[in-house]
Amino acid sequence: MSTGAIIIVIAAAVVLVTVLAAGIVRARGSGRKNALRRHFGPEYDLNVAEHAGDTKAAERELEMRLRRYRDLKTEPLSGELRERYLAEWVGTQEQFIESPEYAVAGADQLLARLARDRGYPSDRYEEQVAALSVHHADCVQGYRQLHVAAARAREGRADTEELREAVVHARPFFEELVKPPHHASDGHQGHQGHAGRTGRKTHVWHIGKAGAR
């Protein structure tokens, strides 16, 4: 084989190896993105938006959350503590009729305590939400919305409808954290009530536009 032919063969091999390597890198990147999307669901798109569309930066942050909090050990609530939280949530929603701002502030504090009692970090709100997003990605945004609404209410910048929506959107998060161990996450728990140890049902009410109902 002539020297020119050998050079052509080597160049072609180099090009082929480069193309294959690029394909492997793309496949790995796509696999990583798909895995993060499956795990985080809506949290993935929210994080990309918060990074102004920078997908790589968003994925780096989500991967950091996974490394830090994936193996976090949490505990279910005791029956007595669960009943206490259920009653407190109902009371908070009833209070909304008289004082929406106070009710939202109370609900925000309730969710922070509930997360702490389940074993999530409690020193800083941002750290707590990051850990919760790993384990409750489908509903943690409701907690964020309520927290923001409570802050806006303290500043006198939130109207009643915004506060009402915040409480309604936070309810799935509350139900997710308060449900008993091994309870099916079917989304119907709050609608059908929660049976306590005595068989009594403590209903999680919806808040209509005119208040709790």
Side-chain angles (χ1 to χ4, degrees):
M1 182 180 293
S2 67
T3 301
I6 292 174
I7 292 174
I8 292 173
V9 170
I10 293 174
V14 170
V15 170
L16 179 60
V17 169
T18 302
V19 170
L20 290 174
I24 291 171
V25 170
R26 284 196 299 270
R28 288 178 177 174
S30 177
R32 180 182 68 174
K33 174 183 286 190
N34 290 337
L36 287 171
R37 277 189 177 278
R38 284 194 300 271
H39 183 92
F40 284 100
E43 188 74 9
Y44 179 94
D45 293 325
L46 177 66
N47 203 250
V48 171
E50 289 179 345
H51 283 82
D54 188 340
T55 303
K56 290 183 179 179
E59 289 177 352
R60 283 195 297 269
E61 181 182 329
L62 293 176
E63 287 175 337
M64 182 185 69
R65 291 189 205 174
L66 279 174
R67 287 194 299 270
R68 182 172 298 178
Y69 301 116
R70 178 166 41 200
D71 297 327
L72 179 69
K73 302 300 182 184
T74 62
E75 296 293 335
L77 300 175
S78 67
E80 180 179 354
L81 189 56
R82 177 174 172 269
E83 287 293 305
R84 191 185 309 164
Y85 272 116
L86 290 169
E88 188 175 348
W89 182 260
V90 171
T92 295
Q93 294 188 109
E94 291 175 331
Q95 188 179 51
F96 191 91
I97 300 172
E98 298 297 329
S99 178
E101 294 84 359
Y102 192 79
V104 168
D108 183 40
Q109 295 167 10
L110 183 156
L111 294 181
R113 285 187 284 107
L114 174 57
R116 179 200 65 200
D117 287 343
R118 286 293 314 276
Y120 291 96
S122 59
D123 291 339
R124 293 189 306 113
Y125 165 78
E126 292 79 8
E127 182 184 6
Q128 187 179 69
V129 171
L132 286 162
S133 73
V134 173
H135 297 271
H136 303 282
D138 288 339
C139 56
V140 70
Q141 180 59 13
Y143 180 24
R144 287 197 190 97
Q145 183 175 346
L146 185 74
H147 187 75
V148 169
R152 284 174 53 81
R154 286 194 298 270
E155 298 168 356
R157 297 191 295 118
D159 60 28
T160 301
E161 179 60 16
E162 177 183 346
L163 299 178
R164 184 194 71 83
E165 289 183 358
V167 175
V168 170
H169 291 159
R171 185 172 59 85
F173 175 77
F174 169 78
E175 292 178 352
E176 181 71 14
L177 263 66
V178 82
K179 69 185 180 185
H182 312 302
H183 189 285
S185 183
D186 57 9
H188 299 299
Q189 182 177 339
H191 296 282
Q192 302 194 5
H194 304 263
R197 289 175 299 171
T198 62
R200 174 180 54 85
K201 286 187 176 181
T202 306
H203 291 275
V204 179
W205 293 6
H206 294 272
I207 297 180
K209 293 191 176 182
R213 57 182 171 86

